[in-house]
Amino acid sequence: MLSEIIDVSLLFVTLRVASPIMLAAIGGMYSDLAGAVNIGLEGLMLISAFFAVVVSALSGSAWLGLLAGVTASLLLALLLAFFSLNLKSDIIIAGFALTILAQGLSIFLLSNWFGDKGTFFSPDIKPLPELFIPFLGKIPVVGAILDGQNILVYAGLVFVILSHYVIYKTPFGLHLRSVGENPEAAASVGINVRRVQYIALLISGLFAGLAGANLSLGYLTIFVRNMTAGRGFIALAAVLFGGRKPFGVMLAALLFGFADSLGNRLQSLNMPSQLVLMLPYAFTIVAMVILAVRKQKKKLRVYEEHS
């Protein structure tokens, strides 16, 4: 039975399902490192998914749809940055408000533009292209998992490597980590704290936009109300579980993606639907418990070393 559940095709789907979570988590990692946690990733993904599908259907271009989704996400991220950094609103409350705004706005526009409050589908929607790389497809197992994914799946893997370089090898990465760890000390050496946090929040908006567009143009090619289904919050959990490090975040996203795809596989084997639906969230809760225990042990070890 285990061999029927876990195979190469499941791993292929895992990577595809994990990609939106991974992209959003990369963006969330930047804002988290800067000390400006973006709780609104869920809303940013949702508004991006909506505009990506609509513009793709109206223009007949997946690339214009992707651009529209990312732009919508960036605008909301800019709004979040303005309220939290300029007007000094609580960034957690502002992030939740942004998510509620995105949920309501997408339903409102869906109803007014297309007369449907639940779903938007059109044969004119152009999906993101899938890439088939000749030499990659010939590699046993790895080729079957990686070859034929949509372009944003590959982009997500590249962004993980680039993010590692940016965060640990560039002046901006040093400023980013300095601002997150001690903004007063960073300001005392001439770092513009607000500017760094603005950039970090906009980066999180960029990646959340890519994640939302990936969900609606690369994964499903349809828009359904609240289709993100908590993936933005799971991305935040991946940031914490991955230790706010690019490769750790990637592995955490793959873990959550595996839970999601495993749930879908179990559903095909007539497992109880309640068990299937709770799997991704159960994995998230378990991961956060493990993270809390790990942090507690670390604090205890530090205390013992200094006592």
Side-chain angles (χ1 to χ4, degrees):
M1 182 178 179
L2 188 62
S3 62
E4 292 180 4
I5 296 174
I6 301 177
D7 55 17
V8 173
S9 64
L10 177 66
L11 299 179
F12 176 89
V13 174
T14 292
L15 185 57
R16 186 179 67 175
V17 171
S19 181
I21 299 173
M22 181 168 59
L23 286 167
I26 292 170
M29 176 186 62
Y30 279 93
S31 60
D32 199 310
L33 284 172
V37 181
N38 190 348
I39 298 293
L41 290 177
E42 179 85 1
L44 297 179
M45 288 178 65
L46 185 63
I47 205 69
S48 172
F50 174 76
F51 279 101
V53 161
V54 171
V55 173
S56 175
L58 295 178
S59 68
S61 169
W63 301 114
L64 287 178
L66 175 62
L67 178 62
V70 170
T71 301
S73 178
L74 279 171
L75 289 175
L76 283 189
L78 183 62
L79 185 66
L80 174 64
F82 176 74
F83 273 98
S84 60
L85 301 179
N86 290 84
L87 302 184
K88 304 301 180 182
S89 300
D90 186 287
I91 195 168
I92 303 298
I93 296 174
F96 277 116
L98 185 147
T99 297
I100 295 170
L101 171 65
Q103 291 172 342
L105 181 62
S106 60
I107 295 171
F108 174 77
L109 294 177
L110 189 64
S111 175
N112 278 267
W113 290 354
F114 306 106
D116 193 319
K117 294 184 179 181
T119 305
F120 173 71
F121 171 76
S122 169
D124 296 324
I125 296 174
K126 301 300 180 184
L128 291 168
E130 297 176 346
L131 297 183
F132 293 90
I133 305 171
F135 73 87
L136 185 61
K138 296 178 181 179
I139 303 174
V141 182
V142 174
I145 296 171
L146 292 177
D147 198 30
Q149 300 281 3
N150 80 70
I151 193 168
L152 284 184
V153 174
Y154 300 109
L157 298 174
V158 172
F159 284 137
V160 169
I161 299 171
L162 288 177
S163 293
H164 179 82
Y165 176 79
V166 169
I167 291 170
Y168 296 108
K169 303 294 182 179
T170 66
F172 172 73
L174 178 61
H175 292 176
L176 189 75
R177 289 179 284 126
S178 300
V179 167
E181 291 174 8
N182 194 324
E184 290 80 13
S188 70
V189 295
I191 298 174
N192 190 323
V193 173
R194 180 186 293 180
R195 183 175 63 186
V196 171
Q197 291 182 329
Y198 249 101
I199 294 172
L201 283 171
L202 288 176
I203 290 174
S204 72
L206 169 66
F207 280 103
L210 292 173
N214 189 10
L215 188 63
S216 62
L217 292 181
Y219 181 41
L220 295 173
T221 62
I222 191 174
F223 179 81
V224 180
R225 61 183 294 176
N226 299 330
M227 68 182 296
T228 46
R231 286 179 176 84
F233 297 112
I234 292 175
L236 288 171
V239 173
L240 297 177
F241 192 60
R244 303 193 303 173
K245 297 179 180 179
F247 290 105
V249 168
M250 179 188 71
L251 291 175
L254 289 172
L255 174 64
F256 295 133
F258 176 75
D260 198 350
S261 55
L262 179 62
N264 293 332
R265 179 63 60 87
L266 291 175
Q267 191 171 19
S268 67
L269 297 176
N270 297 320
M271 292 287 184
S273 60
Q274 295 84 354
L275 174 65
V276 171
L277 293 174
M278 79 175 192
L279 265 181
Y281 309 103
F283 265 60
T284 305
I285 293 172
V286 170
M288 297 309 294
V289 169
I290 293 173
L291 178 65
V293 171
R294 192 169 64 187
K295 282 187 174 181
Q296 191 65 30
K297 287 183 177 179
K298 184 178 180 180
K299 288 181 180 179
L300 182 60
R301 187 167 59 251
V302 172
Y303 174 77
E304 290 175 347
E305 289 175 355
H306 288 80
S307 62

